[in-house]
């Protein structure tokens, strides 16, 4: 490589990583639009969750075919990109296979990279068939349309092309290594159990042309990786990065245990304590808006719920086990997470357009994205939470928005209002006076 090539490579690298970092900063800012919540307790259990679920993918393999294939793609793609370190060094300093001095270890690494690349191609092909030919129901659900539907295919194409570029890069390299007397700086290094079968494609081709093809494959591979890295911001595949913090900060309480609103808890304690002074509680600061009961927009959700939205893989496992969705109701837990992320992105663009300040846009997550019909269809069974491979909780968002409907807008369904009236008046959900509860025994 000439110095001009090195400089060009450095510029491409700076642009690629610079854009990636700027997008990561936006994600961090958007997540912090949520209410603060303490998730620093029990670090031992949290590290264990992250190791088992995000790294070990223990929940993925509950569906063995998809789970095993996903592990192959995940491990293969991550390990193969270890070579990215060598590519960066070679690109910046004009060297070639800088780690070749590792000898047998280097040969083993390159060989394992190639085998994994082939397995990734096979796994991605199976994923494409499941999604586009077999058309599994959870991939054909009406809530997955437009870009979210195509996004998965874009990623599959991306991964396939990157793996082929890697193999053809090695194949052209191998061809140049085997030229009698050697060719330029292409030293004999590496073991190529897969690309050795592609190398014969270059037989009879001028050596300079093969070297040019190698450079093309090399540049396309590294630029492709940078493009893929920056595409993650716009894609559901952001979970590649966020699955780790998401599983670490996930709720450790038993499923079905909900948090109490602090304001309501204080009111109940005052009611239960005959000696309490109702005026002892500190008043809200002047000009400060009173706390909202429940959530109507993303600023009312906590930051872990917003992290959940960005981490959602859109795999549809949650929706596929949702009893409301299965019986034809409008609710889809996957859509809840996708809508939350879309609204978060909309608010983020608003902030960017107004120099760091959110200007009210007369829109909200409730009604504009998620309808009350969807919220009230939920049975709160926690099936979606149990099924999610990265510990996302659509139910927590649903329950917070229900709280808003009931406590801020008194907009509960008529049947629920009737039940709550009965509880208030009769101490039970049924419309019978307490004295009449045992009348049924007289009918026996």
């Amino acid at each position: 490589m000439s110095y001009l090539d090195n400089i060009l490579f450095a510029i491409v690298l700076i642009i690629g990583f610079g854009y990636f970092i700027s997008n990561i900063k936006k994600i961090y800012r958007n997540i912090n639009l949520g209410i603060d919540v303490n998730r620093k307790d029990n670090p031992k259990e949290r590290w264990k969750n992250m190791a088992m679920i995000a790294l070990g993918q223990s929940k993925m393999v509950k569906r063995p075919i998809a789970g095993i294939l996903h592990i192959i793609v995940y491990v293969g793609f991550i390990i193969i990109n270890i070579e990215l370190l060598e590519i960066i060094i070679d690109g910046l300093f004009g060297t070639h296979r800088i780690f070749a001095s590792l000898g047998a270890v280097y040969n083993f690494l390159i060989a394992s990279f190639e085998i994994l690349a082939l397995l990734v191609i096979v796994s991605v092909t199976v994923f494409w068939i499941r999604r586009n030919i077999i058309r599994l129901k959870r991939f054909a659900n009406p809530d997955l349309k437009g870009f979210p539907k195509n996004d998965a295919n874009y990623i599959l194409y991306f991964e396939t092309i990157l793996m082929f570029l890697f193999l053809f890069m090695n194949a052209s390299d191998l061809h140049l290594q085997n030229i009698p007397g050697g060719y330029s700086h292409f030293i004999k290094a590496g073991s190529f159990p897969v690309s050795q079968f592609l190398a014969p494609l270059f037989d009879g081709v001028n050596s300079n042309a093969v070297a040019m093809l190698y450079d093309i494959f090399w540049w396309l591979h590294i630029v492709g990786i940078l493009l893929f890295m920056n595409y993650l911001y716009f894609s559901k595949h952001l979970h590649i990065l966020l699955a780790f913090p998401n599983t670490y900060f996930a709720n450790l309480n038993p499923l079905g245990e909900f948090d109490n609103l602090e304001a309501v808890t204080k009111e109940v304690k005052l009611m239960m304590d005959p000696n309490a002074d109702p005026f002892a509680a500190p008043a809200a600061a002047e000009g400060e808006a009173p706390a909202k009961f429940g959530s109507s927009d993303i600023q009312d959700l906590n930051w872990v719920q917003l992290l959940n939205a960005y981490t959602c893989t859109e795999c549809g496992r949650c929706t596929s086990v949702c009893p409301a969705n299965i019986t034809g109701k409008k609710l889809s837990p996957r859509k809840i997470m996708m809508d939350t992320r879309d609204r978060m992105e909309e608010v983020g663009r608003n902030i960017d357009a107004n120099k760091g300040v959110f200007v009210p846009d007369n829109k909200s997550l409730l009604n504009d994205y998620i309808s009350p019909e969807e919220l009230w269809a939920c049975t709160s069974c926690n099936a979606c939470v149990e099924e999610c491979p990265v510990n996302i909780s659509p139910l927590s968002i649903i329950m917070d928005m229900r709280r808003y409907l009931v406590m801020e807008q008194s907009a509960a369904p008529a049947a629920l209002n009737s039940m709550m009236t009965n509880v208030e008046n009769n101490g039970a959900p049924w419309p019978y006076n307490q004295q009449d509860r045992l009348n049924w025994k007289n009918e026996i």
Side-chain angles (χ1 to χ4, degrees):
M1 267 189 192
S2 67
Y3 287 117
L4 183 62
D5 291 334
N6 303 146
I7 294 170
L8 178 61
F9 179 78
I11 292 171
V12 170
L13 207 62
I14 290 170
I15 292 173
F17 278 97
Y19 187 62
F20 176 74
I21 292 170
S22 70
N23 284 332
I24 291 296
K25 287 181 178 178
K26 286 183 180 179
I27 292 172
Y28 182 77
R29 178 204 62 195
N30 292 348
I31 290 173
N32 280 311
L33 292 173
I35 297 169
D36 188 31
V37 61
N38 182 18
R39 290 293 172 84
K40 296 180 180 179
D41 60 308
N42 203 343
K44 183 178 179 181
E45 185 67 21
R46 294 189 180 280
W47 281 109
K48 178 183 176 183
N49 275 352
M50 188 174 73
M52 294 293 294
I53 299 171
L55 185 63
Q57 302 193 40
S58 58
K59 295 182 77 173
M60 279 296 300
V61 294
K62 289 183 178 180
R63 302 191 183 192
I65 295 176
I68 293 171
L69 292 174
H70 188 274
I71 289 174
I72 290 172
V73 173
Y74 171 75
V75 172
F77 201 78
I78 296 299
I79 291 180
I80 290 168
N81 281 326
I82 292 175
E83 195 191 22
L84 185 63
L85 178 60
E86 182 180 58
I87 291 176
I88 290 174
I89 295 174
D90 287 345
L92 290 174
F93 299 102
T95 54
H96 180 69
R97 296 195 177 274
I98 188 68
F99 295 139
S101 58
L102 294 174
V105 173
Y106 184 77
N107 293 343
F108 172 79
L109 286 173
I110 297 299
S112 62
F113 293 165
E114 290 211 344
I115 293 171
L116 284 170
L118 179 61
L119 290 174
V120 168
I121 291 171
V122 172
S123 300
V124 165
T125 302
V126 175
F127 279 138
W128 187 89
I129 292 172
R130 281 160 54 89
R131 186 173 288 272
N132 297 284
I133 297 178
I134 298 176
R135 290 178 60 82
L136 295 180
K137 185 177 179 181
R138 61 192 171 99
F139 299 138
N141 199 288
D143 65 304
L144 198 65
K145 57 185 178 181
F147 176 75
K149 181 178 178 62
N150 297 326
D151 175 38
N153 283 331
Y154 296 156
I155 290 292
L156 295 179
Y157 299 143
F158 241 126
E159 290 174 341
T160 303
I161 291 171
L162 288 175
M163 294 302 103
F164 272 114
L165 285 171
F166 170 71
L167 292 174
F168 274 104
M169 180 183 73
N170 282 352
S172 56
D173 192 334
L174 177 61
H175 175 87
L176 295 170
Q177 289 182 27
N178 291 332
I179 291 177
Y183 179 86
S184 184
H185 57 281
F186 286 82
I187 60 172
K188 282 188 173 292
S191 178
F192 308 96
V194 178
S195 59
Q196 66 178 335
F197 297 105
L198 299 175
L201 294 174
F202 302 104
D203 290 347
V205 181
N206 180 276
S207 298
N208 291 332
V210 176
M212 184 179 295
L213 286 173
Y214 170 82
D215 287 341
I216 291 172
F217 296 141
W218 187 93
W219 274 99
L220 288 176
H221 183 63
I222 182 63
V223 171
I225 290 173
L226 293 175
L227 288 174
F228 179 84
M229 180 177 71
N230 282 288
Y231 178 71
L232 293 180
Y233 172 75
F234 307 96
S235 167
K236 74 190 185 87
H237 283 72
L238 195 58
H239 73 270
I240 293 173
L241 304 176
L242 296 185
F244 293 91
N246 194 78
T247 50
Y248 182 86
F249 292 115
N251 189 6
L252 297 181
N253 294 332
L255 296 183
E257 180 180 324
F258 296 102
D259 61 306
N260 295 318
L261 291 176
E262 185 178 356
V264 176
T265 301
K266 288 180 179 178
E267 290 292 331
V268 172
K269 287 181 177 179
L270 285 172
M271 291 166 54
M272 300 296 290
D273 184 0
N275 299 318
D277 181 0
F279 302 103
E286 186 176 350
E288 180 182 336
K292 184 185 291 185
F293 295 125
S295 307
S296 63
D297 210 348
I298 61 162
Q299 295 91 338
D300 308 321
L301 298 172
N302 66 57
W303 65 267
V304 176
Q305 292 169 319
L306 300 186
L307 174 62
N308 282 181
Y310 267 126
T311 309
C312 179
T313 69
E314 296 178 15
C315 65
R317 292 189 180 201
C318 53
T319 296
S320 71
V321 298
C322 174
N325 189 272
I326 290 171
T327 54
K329 302 294 192 302
K330 194 175 179 181
L331 172 66
S332 166
R334 171 171 58 188
K335 180 179 176 294
I336 297 293
M337 303 315 301
M338 292 166 64
D339 287 343
T340 302
R341 182 176 60 212
D342 289 346
R343 173 57 179 164
M344 195 168 17
E345 281 293 297
E346 183 178 51
V347 170
R349 289 191 296 271
N350 182 310
I351 294 172
D352 290 336
N354 293 286
K355 300 180 180 179
V357 178
F358 175 68
V359 175
D361 55 1
N362 297 319
K363 296 179 70 176
S364 67
L365 182 61
L366 179 63
N367 295 321
D368 289 300
Y369 284 85
I370 301 172
S371 67
E373 180 184 352
E374 294 171 77
L375 298 174
W376 291 116
C378 178
T379 65
S380 64
C381 66
N382 269 298
C384 58
V385 184
E386 178 66 31
E387 191 68 15
C388 179
V390 288
N391 277 16
I392 290 169
S393 177
L395 180 59
S396 67
I397 295 177
I398 292 172
M399 296 304 294
D400 280 352
M401 296 182 77
R402 277 183 175 180
R403 278 173 168 170
Y404 178 83
L405 287 171
V406 173
M407 303 182 73
E408 291 277 348
Q409 296 190 331
S410 299
L416 186 57
N417 279 331
S418 176
M419 183 273 292
M420 288 190 288
T421 300
N422 290 331
V423 170
E424 181 180 0
N425 295 332
N426 305 322
W430 302 283
Y432 303 111
N433 188 287
Q434 294 188 36
Q435 285 77 19
D436 296 332
R437 284 187 189 174
L438 290 178
N439 287 351
W440 59 270
K441 75 180 187 308
N442 299 325
E443 300 175 7
I444 296 177

